[in-house]
Amino acid sequence: MRTTNWQMFRFSLVYFNSQTSIFLIPIIVSGSAYQGWTSILIGSALSIILLLFMIKVGKLKPGQSWVQFGEQYMGKWVHGVLVFLLLCWCVYYASYDIGNFVLFFGSNYMRGTPPLIIQLVIGMVIAYTAAKGLATIIYMADGVFLLLIVTTCFSLYLFLPNANFQMLPAFIHYFDLGNTIKGSFGVSSWFAEWVVFLFVAPELKINNNMLKKILFAELVLTVLVLSGWTLTMLNFGPHLGRDLQYPYLDMVRSSSHDDILGNLDPILIGIWSASMFIHSSFMIYAASKCAMYLTKQKGKKVVVPFLVMCSVLIAYLYSRSITRYYKDFSSYTAVCVWLVVECIPVYYCMAAFLKSKLNKPAS
């Protein structure tokens, strides 16, 4: 596999933007209202800390996967438990992707279609992409990247004409420390999925050059989310804004433009769908690496389809109880679970530090 660090920049941005641009902004508006900008900035800063830990773990054994060398630092059983935890998290997160996709298309374009049919079709696409490996997923992100940036900029442009800039002082006057802290942890759980990037090794070397590129991706992502949140607030306010499920699409559809700018919604949907497939495929790819470690490299041909079917099953069960799905999707319990998993690199850094101190020869 021949990839560059700039490809990792593009992949990182597409991977994270698939969720944040569609689903995070309404959650920030609903949870943090006028002080959402502080939650975004602090949450992004917290995710950068976890990114630095991920890079540190990736550099412990250059050329080796974290799954392979992790037991040297945490022990076989503890490492196995953490690998299994990450496996379950990836499968569960992929089910959220499938559920979101079904809810969107089922309510807008495929009314009357049984959710299970949509889920199975999506599952087959995800399984096929994940089975192709990391190179295919990264090259798919290359193809989506430029279209993603262009359409996002056009979408933000459509927010500007009707924005009420007199609302800007409210962003400073309203402040609640507890709400900011809670919102910051919520944002960081969306921004800090860096633990799965440990699976780009040994196919791609994790080093300081990669760190610079994905730090740049984090900065661009933060600017995009902050811009989207700001313009959503200025157009819809905190009350109507919290009721929006898809702010970008709602703004495009309500636009007065009759040219291509006012008909961007099919393009936005297509790009988001491709981004979601990339996100889900990489999740299943990471889960398959965990499963192969736990099964000692057995069942290589069936592990990806089996994991995808698990995600489809969870999504199907959620489709039978949409209220439970929305409750779990936006609950603070989910935020805590997400952060526990996303902090896995921290645990290994601490173990590596303690091991280096204990094994340090006496002077």
Side-chain angles (χ1 to χ4, degrees):
M1 173 182 176
R2 298 184 62 185
T3 58
T4 66
N5 289 323
W6 279 112
Q7 280 183 303
M8 286 307 302
F9 161 76
R10 295 189 289 270
F11 171 71
S12 302
L13 195 57
V14 171
Y15 174 85
F16 282 98
N17 193 75
S18 65
Q19 299 294 310
T20 55
S21 64
I22 299 293
F23 304 109
L24 178 58
I25 291 175
I27 293 176
I28 300 174
V29 173
S30 177
S32 300
Y34 289 109
Q35 61 190 73
W37 64 276
T38 59
S39 298
I40 294 172
L41 294 178
I42 297 175
S44 178
L46 292 174
S47 73
I48 290 175
I49 295 175
L50 295 182
L51 167 60
L52 296 176
F53 278 106
M54 185 276 291
I55 294 291
K56 183 68 175 178
V57 172
K59 292 166 63 178
L60 288 175
K61 297 284 185 178
Q64 292 187 38
S65 171
W66 159 78
V67 173
Q68 296 172 343
F69 70 76
E71 64 181 52
Q72 299 177 26
Y73 296 94
M74 298 294 286
K76 181 178 180 180
W77 291 105
V78 175
H79 178 63
V81 169
L82 291 175
V83 170
F84 181 73
L85 178 62
L86 183 58
L87 164 64
C88 295
W89 178 74
C90 289
V91 171
Y92 188 60
Y93 203 163
S95 74
Y96 271 167
D97 285 348
I98 297 171
N100 286 327
F101 195 92
V102 171
L103 284 175
F104 177 77
F105 276 87
S107 60
N108 288 276
Y109 300 102
M110 304 179 70
R111 295 180 182 179
T113 304
L116 183 59
I117 300 299
I118 306 176
Q119 290 158 357
L120 288 174
V121 172
I122 296 169
M124 287 189 291
V125 176
I126 293 173
Y128 177 79
T129 308
K132 284 293 185 179
L134 181 62
T136 299
I137 298 172
I138 290 179
Y139 291 145
M140 284 179 61
D142 277 347
V144 173
F145 172 76
L146 186 58
L147 288 173
L148 174 69
I149 295 298
V150 172
T151 53
T152 300
C153 291
F154 275 149
S155 301
L156 293 174
Y157 166 76
L158 294 177
F159 277 92
L160 291 174
N162 299 317
N164 180 13
F165 291 98
Q166 295 180 352
M167 197 185 298
L168 286 173
F171 293 175
I172 301 175
H173 294 158
Y174 289 88
F175 183 76
D176 184 321
L177 181 60
N179 199 17
T180 296
I181 294 174
K182 186 175 180 179
S184 300
F185 281 109
V187 172
S188 66
S189 69
W190 289 73
F191 278 37
E193 298 172 28
W194 298 110
V195 59
V196 291
F197 278 63
L198 289 170
F199 293 94
V200 303
E203 285 86 352
L204 190 65
K205 188 176 181 180
I206 298 178
N207 53 27
N208 291 333
N209 289 328
M210 179 190 290
L211 174 60
K212 294 176 183 178
K213 301 305 183 295
I214 53 182
L215 275 175
F216 184 42
E218 174 84 13
L219 175 62
V220 174
L221 179 69
T222 302
V223 171
L224 291 178
V225 173
L226 186 60
S227 301
W229 169 83
T230 301
L231 292 172
T232 299
M233 288 290 293
L234 296 180
N235 277 270
F236 301 106
H239 303 294
L240 178 59
R242 70 181 59 185
D243 295 328
L244 299 175
Q245 284 186 298
Y246 314 106
Y248 285 95
L249 293 178
D250 290 327
M251 177 52 64
V252 169
R253 289 169 176 172
S254 63
S255 171
S256 59
H257 291 274
D258 295 326
D259 54 13
I260 190 174
L261 293 181
N263 296 279
L264 276 177
D265 51 322
I267 301 176
L268 285 174
I269 293 167
I271 294 173
W272 171 70
S273 300
S275 302
M276 189 279 292
F277 283 127
I278 291 170
H279 184 275
S280 302
S281 299
F282 190 57
M283 281 288 176
I284 296 298
Y285 171 81
S288 68
K289 293 295 184 182
C290 295
M292 293 303 295
Y293 169 80
L294 295 173
T295 59
K296 301 185 185 301
Q297 308 300 315
K298 297 178 181 178
K300 187 174 182 179
K301 293 183 179 180
V302 299
V303 64
V304 169
F306 175 75
L307 294 174
V308 172
M309 289 306 299
C310 290
S311 295
V312 170
L313 176 61
I314 296 171
Y316 173 71
L317 294 175
Y318 268 132
S319 69
R320 297 173 61 88
S321 180
I322 303 300
T323 302
R324 178 62 182 271
Y325 170 80
Y326 280 120
K327 180 180 178 181
D328 290 349
F329 184 73
S330 58
S331 69
Y332 202 69
T333 301
V335 171
C336 295
V337 173
W338 253 237
L339 289 175
V340 167
V341 175
E342 290 165 349
C343 285
I344 283 178
V346 179
Y347 313 148
Y348 284 83
C349 280
M350 294 173 61
F353 175 78
L354 293 175
K355 184 176 181 180
S356 65
K357 290 296 184 181
L358 292 175
N359 293 338
K360 186 176 181 180
S363 57

